Amino acid sequence: MRNVLAVARRELSAYFNSPVAYIVIVTFLAVAGWMYFSTLFLFGRADMRPFFQPSPFSPAMLLVILAPAITMRLIAEERKSGTIELLLTMPMQDWEIIFGKFLAALALVAVGLLLTFAYPLTVSSLGELDWGPVIAGYVGMLLFAASLLAIGVLCSTVTENQIVAFIVAFLVSGFLYYVYWLRFFVPPLLSPIFEFLSVSFHLDNLSRGVIDSRDVVYYLSLTFGALLLATQALGRRHA
Amino acid sequence: MLGKVVSMVESQVMVEARSLRKDYGSTLAVDDVSFQVSRGEVVGFLGPNGAGKSTTMKMLTGYLSPTAGSAYVGGLDVAADPIAAKTKIGYLPESAPLYDDMMVAEFLRYVADIRRVDGATRRERLETICGRCGLNDVLGKNVGQLSKGYRQRVGLAQAMVHDPDLLILDEPTSGLDPNQIVEIRALIRELGSEKTVILSTHILPEVQASCDRIIIISGGKLVADASPEMLSGGDGASVVRVSVKGDAPAESIFAGVAGVRDVTVLGGEPGGQAFRLRSVSGEDPREAIFRAAVDNGLVLLDLHREQVSLEETFRQLTTTEDGAHA
Ligand SMILES: Nc1ncnc2c1ncn2[C@@H]1O[C@H](COP(=O)(O)OP(=O)(O)O)[C@@H](O)[C@H]1O
Ligand SMILES: [Mg+2]
């Protein structure tokens, strides 16, 4: 665990020593805030659901773009600059490296999400706010982000080109996001499969305010599955 | 009793390569390389660019897994027990890749953290190392801003953080100016008095200046393994070149001559065979060679003693036209 934290700390300071962290956080706060408040005034109700609920144009969609941008450099840059050789010849397990990098990315997103807590606080001053669904929504959003970041880490592990890592991660995440709406256009037999596959479906469930273990298990499986594959990919030494 | 003796002998072997082989797709980068390095030795890998020096080092450090064969460090199989083996090694990869976005001090603390150099010992060790590597003036600078010489020193420092038994340094002086080369060489010599060091270079004076032993690698093969003196013929041994004509098995005849230590077959002219014979220290075997040739009905075409320099040996061993096998 100590190695995981050492790696995570290094990556996190790399994020905050460059403009990346600030750009990500400011973009997220601004665009997500605008997306949310514009719909809020439309409904005129003290409710955070529009913030969490996935739609083709919602804060969750923003994460589909930001997560690959955050993770694209994590391993690819080490391969490009050759520092991967230092990393892999230090006494660390491959999973510790992958998990440490993932944690740093997750921490960055968590900071962004934490700052959006200003929104429910604002709303609760305007009217009665039910905090249960807000907590469930944040849990859902973090799980949702974790699975996208894990996919991003995997993509960064299999190439030394950051742009390729970004594009592949964005396409995979975008597919898992939009497939939710495609379910209306496929045979009814396939529809539940599309639904279950989709990262949006489970976030939609959680945004209703109920933390269902099936949704949690879905996100955790996706996250750990992708991280496991990334560990495998890192461990394969040009064999 | 015997077991104990064996294990003591074993513990003196710091590094062992057993038939290491590495294929990159269709490129055979390292081909059946075997050697041992004893504790405390300073060994130089010498060979032209693309010879397979870096690839061999990457297999020793556990960065690459060999296509065949195994590497042992301090008695541990690097493939079977990678974490334990890696704790024994300090490694400077070729051209010193470093995290450009970190400050020097921050980077060394990060390495110390993962290398488990903790508490009271950490500060002391980092201070000692920064002093030895001459980093005190740049501790607060970003690694990305450093000159090539300073980068190389940071690379050395990170390899020394955990006070490893074994240092593996891939081209530690490449790209440095002459003054920097002298400094780094002095540092390596100093390190060599307390540690086992394997360094690689494609420059001859490098190994002459720093190493107890030279392993010459060419085309992925180990072509020579000897002390600099032996390779330069400077240990009092002489090198004799002989060309003969005849049907008798010349190689084994010369190998049997008193005072000859080993025989290398060279290409030779049409109808003749050429050999390079190295004598036992202090002997001049020319008379004995002459008699052995005559006794076996071989016609001597040429017999002369050579002054060989390491440079010449290197060139001979690493160019294929001479067809050397050592
Ligand atoms: N990652 C790689 N992929 C393919 N071929 C490689 C790779 N690394 C090295 N090689 C090839 O392997 C051979 C040995 O290279 P290397 O070990 O770097 O030699 P040296 O360090 O002695 O210059 C060269 O022919 C080189 O082109
Ligand atoms: Mg090399």
Short mmCIF file of all heavy atoms in Angstrom, two decimals, chain B residues 249-312:
data_model
loop_
_atom_site.label_atom_id
_atom_site.label_comp_id
_atom_site.label_asym_id
_atom_site.label_seq_id
_atom_site.Cartn_x
_atom_site.Cartn_y
_atom_site.Cartn_z
N PRO B 249 46.23 -31.50 -37.98
CA PRO B 249 45.27 -30.66 -37.22
C PRO B 249 46.01 -29.58 -36.43
O PRO B 249 46.32 -29.76 -35.25
CB PRO B 249 44.58 -31.65 -36.30
CG PRO B 249 45.56 -32.77 -36.13
CD PRO B 249 46.37 -32.85 -37.38
N ALA B 250 46.25 -28.50 -37.10
CA ALA B 250 47.13 -27.47 -36.55
C ALA B 250 46.62 -26.89 -35.23
O ALA B 250 47.41 -26.65 -34.31
CB ALA B 250 47.32 -26.36 -37.58
N GLU B 251 45.32 -26.69 -35.16
CA GLU B 251 44.78 -26.03 -33.96
C GLU B 251 45.13 -26.83 -32.70
O GLU B 251 45.60 -26.28 -31.72
CB GLU B 251 43.26 -25.84 -34.08
CG GLU B 251 42.69 -25.09 -32.89
CD GLU B 251 41.18 -24.85 -32.99
OE1 GLU B 251 40.56 -25.33 -33.97
OE2 GLU B 251 40.65 -24.20 -32.07
N SER B 252 44.89 -28.15 -32.73
CA SER B 252 45.12 -28.94 -31.53
C SER B 252 46.63 -29.11 -31.29
O SER B 252 47.07 -29.22 -30.14
CB SER B 252 44.42 -30.29 -31.62
OG SER B 252 44.81 -30.95 -32.80
N ILE B 253 47.39 -29.12 -32.35
CA ILE B 253 48.85 -29.23 -32.18
C ILE B 253 49.37 -28.00 -31.43
O ILE B 253 50.09 -28.11 -30.44
CB ILE B 253 49.56 -29.36 -33.54
CG1 ILE B 253 49.22 -30.72 -34.16
CG2 ILE B 253 51.06 -29.19 -33.40
CD1 ILE B 253 49.59 -30.85 -35.63
N PHE B 254 48.93 -26.81 -31.89
CA PHE B 254 49.41 -25.59 -31.23
C PHE B 254 48.89 -25.46 -29.81
O PHE B 254 49.59 -24.97 -28.94
CB PHE B 254 49.02 -24.35 -32.05
CG PHE B 254 49.78 -24.25 -33.35
CD1 PHE B 254 49.14 -23.87 -34.52
CD2 PHE B 254 51.14 -24.55 -33.39
CE1 PHE B 254 49.84 -23.79 -35.71
CE2 PHE B 254 51.85 -24.48 -34.58
CZ PHE B 254 51.20 -24.10 -35.75
N ALA B 255 47.66 -25.93 -29.61
CA ALA B 255 47.10 -25.85 -28.25
C ALA B 255 47.92 -26.69 -27.29
O ALA B 255 47.98 -26.39 -26.09
CB ALA B 255 45.64 -26.30 -28.25
N GLY B 256 48.57 -27.74 -27.82
CA GLY B 256 49.35 -28.63 -26.96
C GLY B 256 50.78 -28.17 -26.71
O GLY B 256 51.50 -28.76 -25.91
N VAL B 257 51.19 -27.13 -27.39
CA VAL B 257 52.58 -26.67 -27.24
C VAL B 257 52.79 -26.05 -25.86
O VAL B 257 51.95 -25.29 -25.39
CB VAL B 257 52.90 -25.62 -28.34
CG1 VAL B 257 54.25 -24.95 -28.07
CG2 VAL B 257 52.89 -26.26 -29.70
N ALA B 258 53.89 -26.42 -25.23
CA ALA B 258 54.18 -25.88 -23.89
C ALA B 258 54.32 -24.37 -23.98
O ALA B 258 54.97 -23.86 -24.90
CB ALA B 258 55.47 -26.51 -23.36
N GLY B 259 53.71 -23.66 -23.06
CA GLY B 259 53.84 -22.20 -23.04
C GLY B 259 52.73 -21.48 -23.79
O GLY B 259 52.63 -20.26 -23.70
N VAL B 260 51.85 -22.24 -24.49
CA VAL B 260 50.73 -21.60 -25.17
C VAL B 260 49.48 -21.72 -24.31
O VAL B 260 49.14 -22.81 -23.86
CB VAL B 260 50.48 -22.24 -26.56
CG1 VAL B 260 49.18 -21.72 -27.16
CG2 VAL B 260 51.64 -21.96 -27.48
N ARG B 261 48.83 -20.61 -24.08
CA ARG B 261 47.66 -20.65 -23.20
C ARG B 261 46.38 -20.89 -23.98
O ARG B 261 45.55 -21.69 -23.62
CB ARG B 261 47.53 -19.34 -22.43
CG ARG B 261 46.40 -19.42 -21.39
CD ARG B 261 46.46 -18.31 -20.41
NE ARG B 261 46.69 -17.04 -21.07
CZ ARG B 261 47.03 -15.93 -20.42
NH1 ARG B 261 47.20 -15.95 -19.12
NH2 ARG B 261 47.20 -14.82 -21.07
N ASP B 262 46.20 -20.16 -25.06
CA ASP B 262 45.02 -20.47 -25.88
C ASP B 262 45.26 -20.13 -27.34
O ASP B 262 46.19 -19.42 -27.69
CB ASP B 262 43.76 -19.79 -25.35
CG ASP B 262 43.93 -18.30 -25.25
OD1 ASP B 262 44.38 -17.69 -26.23
OD2 ASP B 262 43.59 -17.74 -24.17
N VAL B 263 44.40 -20.69 -28.15
CA VAL B 263 44.55 -20.57 -29.59
C VAL B 263 43.26 -20.01 -30.18
O VAL B 263 42.18 -20.46 -29.84
CB VAL B 263 44.80 -21.97 -30.22
CG1 VAL B 263 44.92 -21.87 -31.74
CG2 VAL B 263 46.04 -22.61 -29.62
N THR B 264 43.41 -19.01 -31.01
CA THR B 264 42.25 -18.46 -31.71
C THR B 264 42.43 -18.71 -33.19
O THR B 264 43.51 -18.44 -33.74
CB THR B 264 42.14 -16.95 -31.47
OG1 THR B 264 42.21 -16.72 -30.07
CG2 THR B 264 40.85 -16.39 -32.01
N VAL B 265 41.41 -19.24 -33.83
CA VAL B 265 41.51 -19.49 -35.26
C VAL B 265 41.16 -18.22 -36.01
O VAL B 265 40.13 -17.61 -35.76
CB VAL B 265 40.52 -20.61 -35.69
CG1 VAL B 265 40.68 -20.89 -37.19
CG2 VAL B 265 40.75 -21.86 -34.88
N LEU B 266 42.02 -17.79 -36.90
CA LEU B 266 41.74 -16.61 -37.73
C LEU B 266 41.44 -17.10 -39.15
O LEU B 266 41.55 -18.29 -39.44
CB LEU B 266 42.93 -15.66 -37.73
CG LEU B 266 43.41 -15.20 -36.36
CD1 LEU B 266 44.68 -14.37 -36.49
CD2 LEU B 266 42.34 -14.38 -35.64
N GLY B 267 41.08 -16.18 -39.99
CA GLY B 267 40.65 -16.56 -41.34
C GLY B 267 41.72 -17.28 -42.16
O GLY B 267 41.53 -18.41 -42.57
N GLY B 268 42.84 -16.64 -42.33
CA GLY B 268 43.91 -17.28 -43.09
C GLY B 268 43.80 -17.06 -44.59
O GLY B 268 42.74 -16.70 -45.09
N GLU B 269 44.92 -17.26 -45.25
CA GLU B 269 44.94 -17.06 -46.69
C GLU B 269 44.56 -18.37 -47.39
O GLU B 269 44.55 -19.42 -46.75
CB GLU B 269 46.34 -16.60 -47.11
CG GLU B 269 47.44 -17.44 -46.50
CD GLU B 269 48.73 -16.66 -46.34
OE1 GLU B 269 49.32 -16.37 -47.37
OE2 GLU B 269 49.10 -16.34 -45.20
N PRO B 270 44.30 -18.33 -48.66
CA PRO B 270 43.92 -19.57 -49.35
C PRO B 270 45.03 -20.61 -49.22
O PRO B 270 46.20 -20.29 -49.39
CB PRO B 270 43.76 -19.13 -50.82
CG PRO B 270 43.56 -17.66 -50.77
CD PRO B 270 44.28 -17.17 -49.57
N GLY B 271 44.64 -21.81 -48.89
CA GLY B 271 45.62 -22.87 -48.75
C GLY B 271 46.33 -22.89 -47.42
O GLY B 271 47.01 -23.84 -47.07
N GLY B 272 46.18 -21.84 -46.64
CA GLY B 272 46.83 -21.83 -45.34
C GLY B 272 45.82 -21.59 -44.22
O GLY B 272 44.65 -21.31 -44.47
N GLN B 273 46.32 -21.71 -43.02
CA GLN B 273 45.45 -21.45 -41.87
C GLN B 273 46.19 -20.49 -40.96
O GLN B 273 47.40 -20.67 -40.73
CB GLN B 273 45.23 -22.74 -41.08
CG GLN B 273 44.16 -23.65 -41.62
CD GLN B 273 44.13 -24.90 -40.77
OE1 GLN B 273 44.99 -25.76 -40.89
NE2 GLN B 273 43.14 -25.00 -39.90
N ALA B 274 45.47 -19.52 -40.41
CA ALA B 274 46.14 -18.57 -39.52
C ALA B 274 45.61 -18.74 -38.10
O ALA B 274 44.43 -19.01 -37.89
CB ALA B 274 45.91 -17.15 -40.01
N PHE B 275 46.50 -18.57 -37.16
CA PHE B 275 46.13 -18.69 -35.75
C PHE B 275 46.72 -17.55 -34.95
O PHE B 275 47.76 -16.99 -35.32
CB PHE B 275 46.64 -20.00 -35.16
CG PHE B 275 46.12 -21.22 -35.85
CD1 PHE B 275 46.85 -21.81 -36.89
CD2 PHE B 275 44.90 -21.75 -35.50
CE1 PHE B 275 46.35 -22.91 -37.54
CE2 PHE B 275 44.40 -22.86 -36.15
CZ PHE B 275 45.12 -23.45 -37.18
N ARG B 276 46.05 -17.29 -33.84
CA ARG B 276 46.55 -16.31 -32.92
C ARG B 276 46.76 -17.05 -31.61
O ARG B 276 45.80 -17.60 -31.06
CB ARG B 276 45.48 -15.22 -32.77
CG ARG B 276 45.91 -13.98 -32.10
CD ARG B 276 44.79 -12.95 -32.32
NE ARG B 276 45.02 -11.81 -31.47
CZ ARG B 276 44.60 -11.73 -30.22
NH1 ARG B 276 43.91 -12.71 -29.69
NH2 ARG B 276 44.87 -10.66 -29.50
N LEU B 277 47.99 -17.13 -31.15
CA LEU B 277 48.29 -17.91 -29.94
C LEU B 277 48.68 -16.95 -28.83
O LEU B 277 49.45 -16.01 -29.05
CB LEU B 277 49.47 -18.86 -30.17
CG LEU B 277 49.46 -19.71 -31.44
CD1 LEU B 277 50.66 -20.64 -31.45
CD2 LEU B 277 48.18 -20.50 -31.53
N ARG B 278 48.13 -17.19 -27.66
CA ARG B 278 48.52 -16.35 -26.54
C ARG B 278 49.36 -17.19 -25.59
O ARG B 278 48.99 -18.32 -25.28
CB ARG B 278 47.30 -15.80 -25.83
CG ARG B 278 47.55 -14.39 -25.35
CD ARG B 278 46.29 -13.69 -25.00
NE ARG B 278 45.47 -14.56 -24.16
CZ ARG B 278 44.20 -14.32 -23.93
NH1 ARG B 278 43.61 -13.30 -24.45
NH2 ARG B 278 43.51 -15.14 -23.16
N SER B 279 50.46 -16.64 -25.15
CA SER B 279 51.38 -17.43 -24.35
C SER B 279 51.07 -17.29 -22.87
O SER B 279 50.35 -16.39 -22.45
CB SER B 279 52.81 -16.96 -24.59
OG SER B 279 53.02 -15.74 -23.90
N VAL B 280 51.61 -18.22 -22.10
CA VAL B 280 51.60 -18.07 -20.65
C VAL B 280 52.53 -16.90 -20.32
O VAL B 280 53.50 -16.66 -21.05
CB VAL B 280 52.12 -19.38 -20.00
CG1 VAL B 280 52.21 -19.23 -18.50
CG2 VAL B 280 51.23 -20.55 -20.39
N SER B 281 52.22 -16.15 -19.26
CA SER B 281 53.02 -14.99 -18.87
C SER B 281 54.52 -15.24 -18.93
O SER B 281 55.00 -16.27 -18.45
CB SER B 281 52.70 -14.60 -17.42
OG SER B 281 51.53 -13.89 -17.39
N GLY B 282 55.19 -14.32 -19.51
CA GLY B 282 56.65 -14.36 -19.46
C GLY B 282 57.31 -15.33 -20.43
O GLY B 282 58.53 -15.41 -20.50
N GLU B 283 56.53 -16.07 -21.15
CA GLU B 283 57.14 -17.05 -22.07
C GLU B 283 57.17 -16.50 -23.49
O GLU B 283 56.25 -15.78 -23.91
CB GLU B 283 56.30 -18.33 -22.08
CG GLU B 283 56.16 -18.98 -20.72
CD GLU B 283 56.95 -20.27 -20.63
OE1 GLU B 283 57.39 -20.77 -21.68
OE2 GLU B 283 57.11 -20.75 -19.50
N ASP B 284 58.21 -16.89 -24.21
CA ASP B 284 58.19 -16.63 -25.64
C ASP B 284 58.11 -17.99 -26.33
O ASP B 284 59.11 -18.72 -26.40
CB ASP B 284 59.47 -15.90 -26.06
CG ASP B 284 59.47 -15.62 -27.56
OD1 ASP B 284 58.52 -16.06 -28.24
OD2 ASP B 284 60.43 -14.98 -28.03
N PRO B 285 56.95 -18.37 -26.82
CA PRO B 285 56.78 -19.74 -27.30
C PRO B 285 57.16 -19.95 -28.76
O PRO B 285 56.91 -21.02 -29.30
CB PRO B 285 55.27 -19.97 -27.11
CG PRO B 285 54.68 -18.62 -27.33
CD PRO B 285 55.71 -17.60 -26.92
N ARG B 286 57.81 -18.97 -29.37
CA ARG B 286 58.00 -19.07 -30.82
C ARG B 286 58.84 -20.28 -31.22
O ARG B 286 58.55 -20.96 -32.19
CB ARG B 286 58.62 -17.78 -31.36
CG ARG B 286 57.57 -16.72 -31.61
CD ARG B 286 58.19 -15.44 -32.08
NE ARG B 286 59.04 -14.87 -31.03
CZ ARG B 286 59.74 -13.76 -31.19
NH1 ARG B 286 59.74 -13.15 -32.34
NH2 ARG B 286 60.46 -13.29 -30.21
N GLU B 287 59.88 -20.55 -30.41
CA GLU B 287 60.75 -21.67 -30.77
C GLU B 287 59.98 -22.99 -30.69
O GLU B 287 60.05 -23.82 -31.61
CB GLU B 287 61.95 -21.69 -29.82
CG GLU B 287 63.04 -22.61 -30.30
CD GLU B 287 64.28 -22.55 -29.40
OE1 GLU B 287 64.51 -21.49 -28.76
OE2 GLU B 287 65.01 -23.56 -29.34
N ALA B 288 59.20 -23.14 -29.61
CA ALA B 288 58.43 -24.37 -29.42
C ALA B 288 57.38 -24.53 -30.53
O ALA B 288 57.12 -25.64 -31.00
CB ALA B 288 57.76 -24.36 -28.05
N ILE B 289 56.81 -23.41 -30.95
CA ILE B 289 55.80 -23.45 -32.01
C ILE B 289 56.44 -23.90 -33.33
O ILE B 289 55.93 -24.76 -34.04
CB ILE B 289 55.13 -22.07 -32.18
CG1 ILE B 289 54.25 -21.75 -30.96
CG2 ILE B 289 54.29 -22.02 -33.45
CD1 ILE B 289 53.80 -20.30 -30.90
N PHE B 290 57.62 -23.33 -33.58
CA PHE B 290 58.35 -23.69 -34.79
C PHE B 290 58.60 -25.20 -34.82
O PHE B 290 58.33 -25.88 -35.80
CB PHE B 290 59.67 -22.92 -34.84
CG PHE B 290 60.57 -23.34 -35.96
CD1 PHE B 290 60.28 -22.96 -37.26
CD2 PHE B 290 61.69 -24.15 -35.71
CE1 PHE B 290 61.11 -23.36 -38.30
CE2 PHE B 290 62.51 -24.56 -36.74
CZ PHE B 290 62.21 -24.16 -38.05
N ARG B 291 59.10 -25.73 -33.69
CA ARG B 291 59.43 -27.16 -33.65
C ARG B 291 58.17 -28.02 -33.80
O ARG B 291 58.18 -29.01 -34.54
CB ARG B 291 60.11 -27.51 -32.32
CG ARG B 291 61.50 -26.94 -32.26
CD ARG B 291 62.33 -27.49 -31.12
NE ARG B 291 63.52 -26.67 -30.97
CZ ARG B 291 64.53 -26.65 -31.85
NH1 ARG B 291 64.49 -27.43 -32.93
NH2 ARG B 291 65.57 -25.86 -31.65
N ALA B 292 57.10 -27.62 -33.14
CA ALA B 292 55.85 -28.39 -33.21
C ALA B 292 55.35 -28.44 -34.65
O ALA B 292 54.90 -29.48 -35.12
CB ALA B 292 54.79 -27.78 -32.31
N ALA B 293 55.48 -27.33 -35.35
CA ALA B 293 55.02 -27.28 -36.73
C ALA B 293 55.86 -28.21 -37.61
O ALA B 293 55.32 -29.03 -38.36
CB ALA B 293 55.09 -25.85 -37.26
N VAL B 294 57.15 -28.10 -37.44
CA VAL B 294 58.06 -28.92 -38.25
C VAL B 294 57.84 -30.41 -37.95
O VAL B 294 57.73 -31.23 -38.85
CB VAL B 294 59.52 -28.51 -38.00
CG1 VAL B 294 60.48 -29.48 -38.69
CG2 VAL B 294 59.75 -27.09 -38.50
N ASP B 295 57.73 -30.75 -36.66
CA ASP B 295 57.56 -32.14 -36.28
C ASP B 295 56.29 -32.75 -36.86
O ASP B 295 56.22 -33.94 -37.09
CB ASP B 295 57.50 -32.28 -34.75
CG ASP B 295 58.87 -32.00 -34.12
OD1 ASP B 295 59.85 -31.89 -34.89
OD2 ASP B 295 58.94 -31.87 -32.88
N ASN B 296 55.28 -31.91 -37.09
CA ASN B 296 54.02 -32.42 -37.59
C ASN B 296 53.85 -32.20 -39.09
O ASN B 296 52.76 -32.37 -39.62
CB ASN B 296 52.84 -31.79 -36.84
CG ASN B 296 52.73 -32.33 -35.43
OD1 ASN B 296 52.25 -33.42 -35.21
ND2 ASN B 296 53.25 -31.57 -34.48
N GLY B 297 54.90 -31.85 -39.72
CA GLY B 297 54.88 -31.70 -41.17
C GLY B 297 54.09 -30.49 -41.66
O GLY B 297 53.58 -30.51 -42.77
N LEU B 298 53.96 -29.48 -40.83
CA LEU B 298 53.28 -28.26 -41.27
C LEU B 298 54.30 -27.28 -41.83
O LEU B 298 55.40 -27.15 -41.29
CB LEU B 298 52.55 -27.61 -40.09
CG LEU B 298 51.35 -28.37 -39.55
CD1 LEU B 298 50.96 -27.82 -38.18
CD2 LEU B 298 50.18 -28.28 -40.52
N VAL B 299 53.92 -26.65 -42.93
CA VAL B 299 54.81 -25.64 -43.50
C VAL B 299 54.49 -24.29 -42.89
O VAL B 299 53.33 -23.86 -42.91
CB VAL B 299 54.61 -25.57 -45.04
CG1 VAL B 299 55.55 -24.52 -45.64
CG2 VAL B 299 54.85 -26.93 -45.66
N LEU B 300 55.50 -23.66 -42.32
CA LEU B 300 55.27 -22.34 -41.70
C LEU B 300 55.30 -21.26 -42.76
O LEU B 300 56.28 -21.12 -43.49
CB LEU B 300 56.39 -22.05 -40.69
CG LEU B 300 56.18 -22.46 -39.26
CD1 LEU B 300 57.38 -22.02 -38.44
CD2 LEU B 300 54.91 -21.82 -38.69
N LEU B 301 54.21 -20.51 -42.86
CA LEU B 301 54.17 -19.40 -43.82
C LEU B 301 54.54 -18.10 -43.13
O LEU B 301 55.07 -17.18 -43.73
CB LEU B 301 52.76 -19.26 -44.41
CG LEU B 301 52.24 -20.50 -45.14
CD1 LEU B 301 50.80 -20.26 -45.57
CD2 LEU B 301 53.11 -20.84 -46.34
N ASP B 302 54.23 -18.04 -41.85
CA ASP B 302 54.43 -16.79 -41.14
C ASP B 302 54.47 -17.10 -39.65
O ASP B 302 53.73 -17.96 -39.16
CB ASP B 302 53.26 -15.84 -41.46
CG ASP B 302 53.39 -14.51 -40.74
OD1 ASP B 302 54.52 -14.14 -40.39
OD2 ASP B 302 52.34 -13.86 -40.54
N LEU B 303 55.37 -16.45 -38.94
CA LEU B 303 55.42 -16.61 -37.49
C LEU B 303 55.98 -15.32 -36.92
O LEU B 303 57.14 -14.99 -37.13
CB LEU B 303 56.34 -17.79 -37.12
CG LEU B 303 56.66 -17.99 -35.64
CD1 LEU B 303 55.41 -18.33 -34.84
CD2 LEU B 303 57.70 -19.10 -35.46
N HIS B 304 55.13 -14.56 -36.26
CA HIS B 304 55.67 -13.36 -35.64
C HIS B 304 54.93 -12.99 -34.36
O HIS B 304 53.78 -13.35 -34.15
CB HIS B 304 55.67 -12.18 -36.62
CG HIS B 304 54.29 -11.68 -36.96
ND1 HIS B 304 53.54 -12.22 -37.95
CD2 HIS B 304 53.54 -10.70 -36.40
CE1 HIS B 304 52.37 -11.59 -38.01
NE2 HIS B 304 52.34 -10.68 -37.07
N ARG B 305 55.67 -12.26 -33.52
CA ARG B 305 55.10 -11.85 -32.24
C ARG B 305 54.46 -10.48 -32.43
O ARG B 305 55.00 -9.62 -33.12
CB ARG B 305 56.25 -11.75 -31.25
CG ARG B 305 55.81 -11.80 -29.83
CD ARG B 305 57.03 -12.04 -29.00
NE ARG B 305 56.78 -11.55 -27.67
CZ ARG B 305 57.71 -11.49 -26.75
NH1 ARG B 305 58.95 -11.86 -27.04
NH2 ARG B 305 57.42 -11.05 -25.56
N GLU B 306 53.29 -10.31 -31.81
CA GLU B 306 52.56 -9.06 -31.99
C GLU B 306 52.54 -8.23 -30.73
O GLU B 306 52.48 -8.77 -29.63
CB GLU B 306 51.08 -9.35 -32.34
CG GLU B 306 50.84 -9.70 -33.75
CD GLU B 306 49.34 -9.85 -34.00
OE1 GLU B 306 48.60 -10.10 -33.04
OE2 GLU B 306 48.95 -9.73 -35.17
N GLN B 307 52.57 -6.94 -30.90
CA GLN B 307 52.21 -6.06 -29.78
C GLN B 307 50.73 -5.74 -29.98
O GLN B 307 50.36 -5.13 -30.97
CB GLN B 307 53.03 -4.75 -29.84
CG GLN B 307 54.44 -4.89 -29.32
CD GLN B 307 54.50 -5.42 -27.90
OE1 GLN B 307 53.65 -5.10 -27.10
NE2 GLN B 307 55.48 -6.25 -27.61
N VAL B 308 49.89 -6.20 -29.07
CA VAL B 308 48.47 -5.90 -29.26
C VAL B 308 48.00 -4.88 -28.27
O VAL B 308 48.35 -4.93 -27.11
CB VAL B 308 47.57 -7.13 -29.03
CG1 VAL B 308 46.78 -7.44 -30.26
CG2 VAL B 308 48.36 -8.28 -28.51
N SER B 309 47.21 -4.01 -28.76
CA SER B 309 46.57 -3.08 -27.84
C SER B 309 45.12 -3.56 -27.68
O SER B 309 44.62 -4.33 -28.48
CB SER B 309 46.58 -1.67 -28.41
OG SER B 309 45.77 -1.65 -29.56
N LEU B 310 44.50 -3.06 -26.64
CA LEU B 310 43.12 -3.41 -26.39
C LEU B 310 42.26 -3.00 -27.59
O LEU B 310 41.34 -3.69 -28.00
CB LEU B 310 42.65 -2.72 -25.12
CG LEU B 310 41.25 -3.05 -24.60
CD1 LEU B 310 41.05 -4.54 -24.51
CD2 LEU B 310 41.07 -2.43 -23.23
N GLU B 311 42.63 -1.86 -28.14
CA GLU B 311 41.91 -1.33 -29.28
C GLU B 311 41.86 -2.34 -30.42
O GLU B 311 40.84 -2.58 -31.04
CB GLU B 311 42.61 -0.06 -29.76
CG GLU B 311 41.82 0.74 -30.73
CD GLU B 311 41.70 2.18 -30.26
OE1 GLU B 311 42.44 2.59 -29.34
OE2 GLU B 311 40.84 2.87 -30.81
N GLU B 312 43.05 -2.94 -30.65
CA GLU B 312 43.16 -3.89 -31.74
C GLU B 312 42.34 -5.14 -31.44
O GLU B 312 41.63 -5.66 -32.30
CB GLU B 312 44.63 -4.26 -31.86
CG GLU B 312 45.07 -4.62 -33.24
CD GLU B 312 46.58 -4.76 -33.24
OE1 GLU B 312 47.25 -3.84 -32.72
OE2 GLU B 312 47.05 -5.78 -33.72
#
